[in-house]
Amino acid sequence: MGSLMMSQGILSSKPFGCRRRSSYHSPAHVSAARQTLCKAASSDEALGFKMMRKGVKEASADTVLTPRFYTTDFDEMERLFSLELNPNIDMAEIEACLREFRTDYNQTHFVRNDSFKKAADNVQGDVRKIFIEFLERSCTAEFSGFLLYKELGRRLKKTSPAVAEIFSLMSRDEARHAGFINKAMGDFNLALDLGFLTKNRKYTFFKPKFIFYATYLSEKIGYWRYISIYRHLQRNPDCQLYPMFEYFENWCQDENRHGDFFTAILKTQPAMINDWQSRQWSKFFCLSVYVTMYLNDHQRDAFYSSLGMNTTQFNQHVIIETNNTTARIFPEVPDCEAPEFWAHMDKLVALNGKLSDIGNSSAPQWQKNLQKVPIFQQFAWELGALFFGKSIKSGTYDAQPQTQLVY
């Protein structure tokens, strides 16, 4: 679940729609940055990761910014996809999606070679730690999609066999992605125990309509992230840190197909894209996904610098392109090209940095909690300013408001 329409090349001579004009670092700068970052840690044990057992990393603690596992009301899902209860389902479009997934374009794509382990051994120091964290977050997000889609495929078999098969085939894709990333972690002498995660990770409950909003955005933003990184590294092969990125061009098409399927789903649910509540929820989920990515990536600026990328410019490009794509189906989206939008986002990054500094300080816990209070207040203010700021009425699908599901 990407972690998920063709954009301009990320290193094209024109800025790609962002208000910022900062540029990517040159390969020479990247080399110097790597030398600075890659000084220490002669072994993986020195990186400070908690281990479950030898070679198996303990999963990172749950925070508001870490990937989550989701569950939903599966009985309501069955009703939503019932042809008897929902006359809006366009089986021709569903069958077209199913044919795409059955083709399995990437069946033989994720084949590793000897270059993976060698490249991993060359990544040392702080960059190694940050890259492992990147792999863990990516693996967890993909595996989260696998679990959700697998259960939906199982539960919808009787109600809607075609939709159930699509979910099962999407779970196949997500399992393939998660397994590929977990093997990549093995190149760094670590791995995640995905079976343990399945049983012990906390699951977040979302209503079906929230699942649709969140997973659509996850897949589409995953597409833009992967294709943007791929194009940048194709233009700058000296910045290629690890061979996994060479797989992103085909990989991102899985994310795109998943997102297109959720577009088809949203068309079958007029109430989710055609009233004032849906407009507010659409904007809310857009901002939730954009803010989370912006904060996460700026916390790990060294990772993107090691790839020769400017974190701010990369994030703005991905968010703007995702927002433009999302506007084709969501009834309202934030105006991500308004200057004040990025001013608020940058203030959130600064506030998040202050919270991190307080958390890492040696002060007593009571003092830390007290110091955080005014920062949380400012954080809430900036989030509110984003939500009530400029937005764009959007969506190209006219659902018939008089059509309702019969429960």
Side-chain angles (χ1 to χ4, degrees), residues 185-347:
M185 288 188 68
D187 294 329
F188 293 82
N189 306 316
L190 294 169
L192 292 176
D193 187 335
L194 298 179
F196 180 84
L197 276 180
T198 303
K199 297 177 182 178
N200 294 278
R201 191 85 169 191
K202 182 180 178 181
Y203 285 72
T204 299
F205 178 86
F206 269 5
K207 292 182 177 180
K209 68 176 179 179
F210 299 154
I211 289 287
F212 296 157
Y213 295 145
T215 49
Y216 171 86
L217 283 162
S218 175
E219 300 290 2
K220 287 300 183 182
I221 207 166
Y223 166 81
W224 282 110
R225 286 174 64 84
Y226 288 165
I227 195 62
S228 299
I229 292 173
Y230 173 81
R231 288 172 177 165
H232 163 66
L233 293 176
Q234 288 298 300
R235 293 170 182 265
N236 294 268
D238 291 343
C239 300
Q240 187 77 250
L241 185 69
Y242 184 67
M244 185 180 74
F245 299 117
E246 296 176 0
Y247 291 71
F248 274 13
E249 183 179 35
N250 286 21
W251 187 335
C252 75
Q253 295 305 329
D254 283 344
E255 313 294 333
N256 205 24
R257 278 186 286 272
H258 295 183
D260 288 344
F261 172 60
F262 281 107
T263 299
I265 286 179
L266 286 168
K267 289 180 182 180
T268 72
Q269 313 297 332
M272 297 183 189
I273 54 173
N274 206 40
D275 60 18
W276 71 271
Q277 285 186 328
S278 65
R279 289 197 296 273
Q280 303 312 306
W281 283 119
S282 295
K283 187 167 60 171
F284 171 82
F285 275 95
C286 283
L287 289 171
S288 297
V289 170
Y290 302 163
V291 169
T292 298
M293 187 185 88
Y294 206 68
L295 296 182
N296 259 327
D297 285 358
H298 279 83
Q299 280 183 332
R300 296 161 180 87
D301 177 72
F303 169 70
Y304 295 96
S305 294
S306 72
L307 297 178
M309 303 175 75
N310 179 290
T311 304
T312 298
Q313 190 177 6
F314 166 69
N315 270 254
Q316 290 182 354
H317 166 67
V318 169
I319 288 172
I320 286 173
E321 295 295 351
T322 302
N323 203 57
N324 290 339
T325 302
T326 302
R328 299 172 190 169
I329 184 65
F330 278 25
E332 188 166 344
V333 296
D335 184 355
C336 295
E337 298 197 64
E340 57 268 30
F341 179 88
W342 296 112
H344 292 304
M345 293 285 272
D346 288 338
K347 287 179 183 177

Side-chain angles (χ1 to χ4, degrees), residues 13-61:
S13 57
K14 295 181 181 178
F16 32 65
C18 298
R19 296 289 180 180
R20 303 297 168 87
R21 294 297 188 256
S22 54
S23 60
Y24 287 94
H25 302 307
S26 67
H29 177 92
V30 176
S31 178
R34 284 184 184 168
Q35 290 175 8
T36 301
L37 288 167
C38 301
K39 286 181 178 178
S42 58
S43 67
D44 293 309
E45 288 76 11
L47 296 177
F49 293 123
K50 293 182 179 180
M51 307 295 289
M52 289 180 59
R53 56 184 182 274
K54 185 175 176 58
V56 178
K57 183 185 179 300
E58 184 176 307
S60 299

